[in-house]
Amino acid sequence: MKAAEALALELGGVRYVTLAPVTERAGLHRTGVRRYFASKEELLLELAERGWGQWRDAIKGEVAGRTGLGPAQTAAVVSETLVALPVFCDLLTHVALSLEGDVDIERARRYKTNAFAAHDEIATALDRASSMTLEQIGNLLAVAITLASGFWQVSHPTPTLAALYEQEPRWGHVALDFAPRLNRALKAFAIGFTETITPADAT
């Protein structure tokens, strides 16, 4: 897992990760990694599942012993912990697009089971620490996952697009700054949810 994550960071994204260099980086025989993963998709889905656990642990650590966090503070916790997991943010896009559908049903079931369990633990931890309701937090997490995956892709263009933006600077603004844009957007959504989603709406 460490070898795959390191390669994703070095190469500029999980789209460039294949089994052969992962095997070499891990110091295994070229067929060794297939003892554990039948395909690149299984390997990356395992990495995504691990990412859910890392995000859960990071949020629980951030909010431990804290109470009364306002919507902006709650959004900051969600944003900052996601920004600290760039490979996970990248994987969120690929999980939805292909990884879940390119493994067998039992592997997909295991991923879903563990991802949903981590999500629920995150929501519970934030609910204890935040002034936001559980319903509002659930909506914030849904937006956070969607924006983090999309913003990460846009802010890390492929070599072709990076070259294009150099040639056409007027389009370069598309490659936005990931962390500040995600932080601002989640704060706006969190504040908006507290004004538009009330306890009465959840009943």
Side-chain angles (χ1 to χ4, degrees), residues 50-63 81 118 121-122:
R50 181 171 174 260
W52 274 104
Q54 291 173 320
W55 190 28
R56 174 202 61 212
D57 294 344
I59 284 186
K60 290 172 78 171
E62 281 292 321
V63 301
T81 51
E121 287 188 57
I122 288 169

Short mmCIF file of all heavy atoms in Angstrom, two decimals, residues 50-63 81 118 121-122:
data_model
loop_
_atom_site.label_atom_id
_atom_site.label_comp_id
_atom_site.label_asym_id
_atom_site.label_seq_id
_atom_site.Cartn_x
_atom_site.Cartn_y
_atom_site.Cartn_z
N ARG A 50 -8.49 2.03 2.60
CA ARG A 50 -7.54 2.48 3.62
C ARG A 50 -7.67 3.98 3.85
O ARG A 50 -7.56 4.47 4.98
CB ARG A 50 -6.12 2.13 3.16
CG ARG A 50 -5.00 2.50 4.11
CD ARG A 50 -3.71 1.88 3.60
NE ARG A 50 -2.55 2.29 4.37
CZ ARG A 50 -1.70 3.23 4.00
NH1 ARG A 50 -1.88 3.87 2.85
NH2 ARG A 50 -0.66 3.55 4.75
N GLY A 51 -7.93 4.72 2.77
CA GLY A 51 -8.10 6.17 2.88
C GLY A 51 -9.29 6.55 3.74
O GLY A 51 -9.22 7.52 4.51
N TRP A 52 -10.38 5.81 3.62
CA TRP A 52 -11.54 6.07 4.48
C TRP A 52 -11.16 5.93 5.95
O TRP A 52 -11.57 6.74 6.80
CB TRP A 52 -12.68 5.12 4.13
CG TRP A 52 -13.54 5.60 3.02
CD1 TRP A 52 -13.55 5.17 1.72
CD2 TRP A 52 -14.54 6.62 3.10
NE1 TRP A 52 -14.48 5.86 0.99
CE2 TRP A 52 -15.11 6.76 1.81
CE3 TRP A 52 -15.01 7.44 4.13
CZ2 TRP A 52 -16.12 7.68 1.53
CZ3 TRP A 52 -16.01 8.36 3.86
CH2 TRP A 52 -16.56 8.46 2.57
N GLY A 53 -10.40 4.90 6.27
CA GLY A 53 -9.97 4.71 7.65
C GLY A 53 -9.06 5.83 8.12
O GLY A 53 -9.16 6.29 9.27
N GLN A 54 -8.18 6.29 7.24
CA GLN A 54 -7.28 7.39 7.60
C GLN A 54 -8.07 8.68 7.84
O GLN A 54 -7.76 9.44 8.77
CB GLN A 54 -6.25 7.60 6.49
CG GLN A 54 -5.25 6.47 6.37
CD GLN A 54 -4.36 6.63 5.15
OE1 GLN A 54 -4.82 7.04 4.08
NE2 GLN A 54 -3.09 6.31 5.30
N TRP A 55 -9.07 8.94 6.99
CA TRP A 55 -9.88 10.15 7.16
C TRP A 55 -10.67 10.09 8.46
O TRP A 55 -10.74 11.06 9.21
CB TRP A 55 -10.81 10.33 5.96
CG TRP A 55 -11.50 11.65 5.92
CD1 TRP A 55 -11.04 12.84 6.43
CD2 TRP A 55 -12.76 11.94 5.32
NE1 TRP A 55 -11.95 13.85 6.19
CE2 TRP A 55 -13.01 13.33 5.51
CE3 TRP A 55 -13.70 11.17 4.64
CZ2 TRP A 55 -14.17 13.95 5.05
CZ3 TRP A 55 -14.85 11.79 4.17
CH2 TRP A 55 -15.08 13.16 4.38
N ARG A 56 -11.26 8.93 8.73
CA ARG A 56 -12.00 8.74 9.98
C ARG A 56 -11.10 9.01 11.18
O ARG A 56 -11.47 9.77 12.09
CB ARG A 56 -12.53 7.31 10.04
CG ARG A 56 -13.20 6.92 11.36
CD ARG A 56 -13.20 5.41 11.52
NE ARG A 56 -11.84 4.89 11.55
CZ ARG A 56 -11.49 3.69 11.07
NH1 ARG A 56 -12.39 2.89 10.52
NH2 ARG A 56 -10.23 3.29 11.15
N ASP A 57 -9.92 8.42 11.18
CA ASP A 57 -9.01 8.58 12.32
C ASP A 57 -8.55 10.02 12.47
O ASP A 57 -8.40 10.52 13.59
CB ASP A 57 -7.81 7.65 12.17
CG ASP A 57 -8.18 6.18 12.25
OD1 ASP A 57 -9.30 5.87 12.71
OD2 ASP A 57 -7.36 5.34 11.84
N ALA A 58 -8.32 10.69 11.34
CA ALA A 58 -7.88 12.09 11.38
C ALA A 58 -8.95 12.99 11.97
O ALA A 58 -8.67 13.85 12.81
CB ALA A 58 -7.49 12.56 9.98
N ILE A 59 -10.20 12.80 11.55
CA ILE A 59 -11.28 13.62 12.07
C ILE A 59 -11.52 13.34 13.55
O ILE A 59 -11.69 14.27 14.36
CB ILE A 59 -12.57 13.41 11.24
CG1 ILE A 59 -12.44 14.16 9.91
CG2 ILE A 59 -13.80 13.89 12.02
CD1 ILE A 59 -13.67 14.17 9.06
N LYS A 60 -11.52 12.08 13.93
CA LYS A 60 -11.73 11.75 15.34
C LYS A 60 -10.62 12.35 16.20
O LYS A 60 -10.87 12.82 17.32
CB LYS A 60 -11.80 10.23 15.51
CG LYS A 60 -13.07 9.63 14.92
CD LYS A 60 -13.06 8.12 14.92
CE LYS A 60 -13.37 7.56 16.28
NZ LYS A 60 -13.56 6.08 16.24
N GLY A 61 -9.41 12.36 15.68
CA GLY A 61 -8.31 12.97 16.41
C GLY A 61 -8.45 14.48 16.52
O GLY A 61 -8.15 15.07 17.56
N GLU A 62 -8.93 15.12 15.45
CA GLU A 62 -9.08 16.57 15.43
C GLU A 62 -10.16 17.06 16.40
O GLU A 62 -10.04 18.13 16.98
CB GLU A 62 -9.42 17.05 14.02
CG GLU A 62 -8.23 17.13 13.08
CD GLU A 62 -7.26 18.23 13.48
OE1 GLU A 62 -7.71 19.31 13.91
OE2 GLU A 62 -6.05 17.99 13.39
N VAL A 63 -11.24 16.30 16.54
CA VAL A 63 -12.37 16.79 17.34
C VAL A 63 -12.41 16.19 18.74
O VAL A 63 -13.31 16.52 19.52
CB VAL A 63 -13.71 16.51 16.62
CG1 VAL A 63 -13.74 17.19 15.27
CG2 VAL A 63 -13.99 15.02 16.49
N THR A 81 -8.66 17.91 6.94
CA THR A 81 -8.32 16.48 7.00
C THR A 81 -8.35 15.85 5.62
O THR A 81 -7.57 14.92 5.34
CB THR A 81 -9.27 15.73 7.96
OG1 THR A 81 -10.64 16.03 7.62
CG2 THR A 81 -9.01 16.11 9.40
N ALA A 118 -16.95 3.77 8.06
CA ALA A 118 -16.07 4.91 8.36
C ALA A 118 -16.83 6.22 8.26
O ALA A 118 -16.68 7.12 9.10
CB ALA A 118 -14.88 4.90 7.41
N GLU A 121 -18.93 6.73 11.33
CA GLU A 121 -18.12 7.11 12.48
C GLU A 121 -17.69 8.57 12.39
O GLU A 121 -17.62 9.27 13.41
CB GLU A 121 -16.89 6.20 12.58
CG GLU A 121 -17.19 4.79 13.04
CD GLU A 121 -15.91 4.01 13.30
OE1 GLU A 121 -15.10 4.46 14.13
OE2 GLU A 121 -15.72 2.95 12.66
N ILE A 122 -17.38 9.02 11.19
CA ILE A 122 -17.02 10.43 10.98
C ILE A 122 -18.20 11.32 11.35
O ILE A 122 -18.05 12.32 12.07
CB ILE A 122 -16.61 10.67 9.51
CG1 ILE A 122 -15.24 10.03 9.24
CG2 ILE A 122 -16.57 12.16 9.19
CD1 ILE A 122 -14.87 9.98 7.77
#
